[in-house]
Amino acid sequence: MLYKSLVYKFKEIIKENGTIFTEEDQLACYSYDAYAEIPVLPDIVVKPSNYEQIEKIIKLCNDANIPLITRGAGTNLSGGTVPKTGGCVLLTTGFNKILEINENDLYAVVQSGVVTANLAKAVESKGLFYPPDPGSMNISTIGGNVAENAGGLRGLKYGVTKDYVMGINFFCPEGNYVKSGGKTVKLVTGFNLQGLMVSSEGMLGVMTDITLKLIPKPKTSRSMLVLFKDMITACEMVSAIIAAKIVPATLEFLDNFTINTVEEASKIGLPTDAGALLLIEVDGYEGQVEEEFSKILEISQKMGGELKVANSLEERNKIWEARRKALSSLARLKPTLILEDATVPRSRIPEMMRRIQAITKKYDLTIGTFGHAGDGNLHPTILTDRRNKTEMERVEKAIDEIFEAALELEGTLSGEHGVGTAKAKYLEKEVGKGTIIYMKKLKNGTDPKNILNPHKMGL
Ligand SMILES: Cc1cc2nc3c(=O)[nH]c(=O)nc-3n(C[C@H](O)[C@H](O)[C@H](O)COP(=O)(O)OP(=O)(O)OC[C@H]3O[C@@H](n4cnc5c(N)ncnc54)[C@H](O)[C@@H]3O)c2cc1C
């Protein structure tokens, strides 16, 4: 709990149009995020209304040794906004202005609290495209996307958030305002500090404005669904498509358990006896789309898949509903959902899926797997109940083994959800001691009192 005198100082800073929460029931709303982490109450929550207020809040926290946790929409899946030792939660949702969309130079400048889907819609109305599309895009913020390097369904062809960051302005704990990058395609003045902010998980600065690259909107697209009797052939088709030199805009995977769960929840007509399915969308110019579509049809026939094409917008929406509903359908089954994002080189997906199945059996757990197969980014989703201690012990062991399998197959602990607290204990195993030492030095040098989002990534 903060001394009254400190609360008074916060109130003084944000008295013009800002908001402050200090009551327990209000604080409780900011004690958790989308990861199944034990909630911790912050001491205070502030929603500043201008950058001057951010600057003063960050300095006050630094002077008074108060942890500062920057929070966008709180949808991260790694415990990144849980205030582990209390402190001040700073909400960025008031900074929701799109400051510029430049059609000549193909960039947008946005405030960090802009909702991802709002930017996507705004640029699409001008014939432009901002591809990163996390499943949470209707609520997640651009600041949160940058801090987690969010991916999404289009990562395979279009890359992830980091591929669109051109510049970022941010505040540091001692009050410095850093301007990095800019609006030009080429820019090599000084360190690539905007790159440093990508995946920084709120630990290196509070971002205010972000300049993002835009591209022309693809002319046309075609969606299809390929059903397979067995899961491994579905996984093998992912590599076969890439080997045929086709890079679909999206290439998603649902296993039999997830198909059944979606069908039970939404009745969209998915065949529940399919071992797995792939959802594919190709986009670009008409001729290219048709050529790629024919090649995929050919591959699917050769591999024994059953291909269904969307011939109308309604059919397209139905196909994609299967993917959009995957997480929420699984979430209906048990009180606690742990969504992992172990990622492997895509040619190793069949082996990774075999290992996930073996781990599920070994620990007698309920795990549905879906994900961005084209990126090798799988989401084994563990359905459990945090109150069941013996099951949670088995869950822990299963997660350990899933991560071990990903690393053995030359993959990574996290393709897009970040480290936060969820994967902190595994980080060194992937990156090595030298990297941890370097990260600590970087953090200590820019935030000597460890004010910004402490205890995340184990730092
Ligand atoms: C249903 C669902 C689907 C999802 N699908 C995907 C997906 O497909 N792909 C994917 O990558 N992720 C996905 N996610 C995870 C999540 O939405 C992303 O990590 C997203 O980028 C988080 O954005 P946010 O605004 O909610 O950030 P928050 O959760 O509020 O914060 C995330 C991190 O960013 C930091 N941060 C936020 N704003 C700033 C700022 N202005 N300056 C400095 N640091 C800041 C925070 O301190 C924290 O460490 C999904 C989550 C859900 C619940």
Side-chain angles (χ1 to χ4, degrees):
M1 207 165 119
L2 297 182
Y3 289 118
K4 277 191 177 156
S5 56
L6 269 175
V7 174
Y8 176 78
K9 283 186 181 170
F10 278 107
K11 282 187 177 161
E12 273 298 292
I13 291 173
I14 59 137
K15 65 183 176 201
E16 263 174 54
N17 300 322
T19 310
I20 194 159
F21 298 129
T22 51
E23 299 301 323
E24 200 173 318
D25 54 345
Q26 298 170 322
L27 299 176
C29 302
Y30 303 96
S31 62
Y32 63 95
D33 51 34
Y35 178 65
E37 166 99 53
I38 296 174
V40 183
L41 282 189
D43 296 299
I44 193 163
V45 176
V46 289
K47 185 175 166 190
S49 64
N50 59 51
Y51 295 167
E52 205 187 331
Q53 291 179 357
I54 298 184
E55 184 180 6
K56 287 183 178 163
I57 289 165
I58 201 168
K59 275 187 187 156
L60 174 59
C61 287
N62 194 53
D63 291 345
N65 281 313
I66 301 168
L68 178 70
I69 299 94
T70 312
R71 182 177 171 117
T75 66
N76 75 87
L77 291 159
S78 46
T81 43
V82 175
K84 288 300 280 182
T85 46
C88 170
V89 168
L90 184 150
L91 302 179
T92 63
T93 43
F95 300 105
N96 55 10
K97 287 195 185 66
I98 297 174
L99 302 171
E100 184 185 357
I101 295 177
N102 192 310
E103 293 174 66
N104 294 325
D105 294 328
L106 295 184
Y107 67 77
V109 184
V110 302
Q111 291 187 314
S112 71
V114 163
V115 169
T116 318
N118 291 351
L119 173 67
K121 275 183 222 143
V123 304
E124 265 190 50
S125 69
K126 296 179 186 293
L128 296 172
F129 194 31
Y130 177 67
D133 60 342
S136 52
M137 68 188 291
N138 286 326
I139 38 174
S140 71
T141 64
I142 294 292
N145 291 173
V146 172
E148 298 286 351
N149 191 15
L153 274 63
R154 301 189 187 117
L156 172 61
K157 181 168 181 178
Y158 292 105
V160 297
T161 304
K162 78 170 160 42
D163 300 304
Y164 294 86
V165 172
M166 295 173 72
I168 300 181
N169 296 344
F170 58 95
F171 282 107
C172 298
E174 286 155 328
N176 276 341
Y177 192 51
V178 180
K179 294 181 179 182
S180 67
K183 297 174 177 176
T184 56
V185 174
K186 293 180 171 175
L187 189 153
V188 286
T189 40
F191 293 153
N192 181 4
L193 297 176
Q194 66 274 22
L196 196 61
M197 293 310 284
V198 174
S199 303
S200 61
E201 300 193 12
M203 298 167 67
L204 297 177
V206 179
M207 294 179 263
T208 55
D209 319 316
I210 300 166
T211 304
L212 296 163
K213 181 173 91 172
L214 304 174
I215 59 175
K217 195 174 162 216
K219 292 282 175 240
T220 187
S221 65
R222 200 144 189 206
S223 293
M224 63 213 89
L225 184 147
V226 195
L227 301 162
F228 285 93
K229 284 264 168 299
D230 79 297
M231 187 194 63
I232 298 301
T233 318
C235 297
E236 285 168 355
M237 180 162 170
V238 173
S239 288
I241 292 172
I242 307 295
K245 313 281 182 291
I246 301 166
V247 183
T250 40
L251 180 39
E252 297 287 306
F253 167 90
L254 262 67
D255 72 356
N256 170 271
F257 184 80
T258 311
I259 295 171
N260 275 275
T261 312
V262 171
E263 189 50 29
E264 201 179 301
S266 307
K267 309 274 178 283
I268 49 180
L270 297 174
T272 50
D273 59 343
L277 65 78
L278 296 179
L279 295 158
I280 307 172
E281 184 162 285
V282 286
D283 69 359
Y285 287 100
E286 190 87 44
Q288 175 201 351
V289 166
E290 283 317 307
E291 192 185 320
E292 292 186 344
F293 166 69
S294 309
K295 278 192 189 167
I296 290 174
L297 177 63
E298 209 177 291
I299 296 168
S300 152
Q301 280 167 346
K302 259 193 212 153
M303 300 188 75
E306 186 191 333
L307 187 134
K308 296 188 172 188
V309 190
N311 288 313
S312 64
L313 186 63
E314 198 187 328
E315 282 178 15
R316 177 183 184 270
N317 289 342
K318 217 169 178 184
I319 283 186
W320 288 104
E321 199 180 340
R323 174 60 181 86
R324 276 196 296 271
K325 294 265 170 78
L327 186 59
S328 56
S329 307
L330 289 167
R332 291 165 75 236
L333 301 187
K334 292 211 179 174
T336 307
L337 175 148
I338 301 174
L339 178 69
E340 290 304 346
D341 74 325
T343 303
V344 291
R346 71 177 79 82
S347 61
R348 318 290 298 264
I349 292 179
E351 177 58 18
M352 188 65 194
M353 278 307 299
R354 270 191 210 102
R355 302 241 193 145
I356 292 172
Q357 280 189 329
I359 293 166
T360 307
K361 213 168 164 190
K362 178 173 172 189
Y363 292 106
D364 188 22
L365 293 171
T366 311
I367 303 184
T369 302
F370 63 96
H372 318 299
D375 313 343
N377 183 193
L378 295 171
H379 292 314
T381 307
I382 305 172
L383 305 165
T384 182
D385 184 344
R386 200 162 51 194
R387 295 163 299 186
N388 181 340
K389 280 204 174 128
T390 51
E391 184 161 289
M392 283 310 285
E393 279 166 19
R394 300 203 307 278
V395 167
E396 280 272 313
K397 286 182 186 151
I399 293 175
D400 287 354
E401 287 191 23
I402 289 172
F403 288 156
E404 267 165 35
L407 294 183
E408 264 173 47
L409 298 175
E410 298 179 280
T412 173
L413 302 170
S414 175
E416 54 180 16
H417 296 165
V419 178
T421 49
K423 287 164 201 145
K425 73 170 175 169
Y426 306 100
L427 185 60
E428 187 173 327
K429 201 162 187 192
E430 177 169 337
V431 301
K433 210 178 178 97
T435 310
I436 298 287
I437 292 171
Y438 191 79
M439 282 169 62
K440 276 188 179 156
K441 287 195 171 172
L442 199 62
K443 173 80 170 139
N444 291 345
T446 55
D447 178 13
K449 292 183 166 181
N450 201 10
I451 297 301
L452 291 180
N453 214 4
H455 311 291
K456 306 295 151 63
M457 300 193 199
L459 304 183

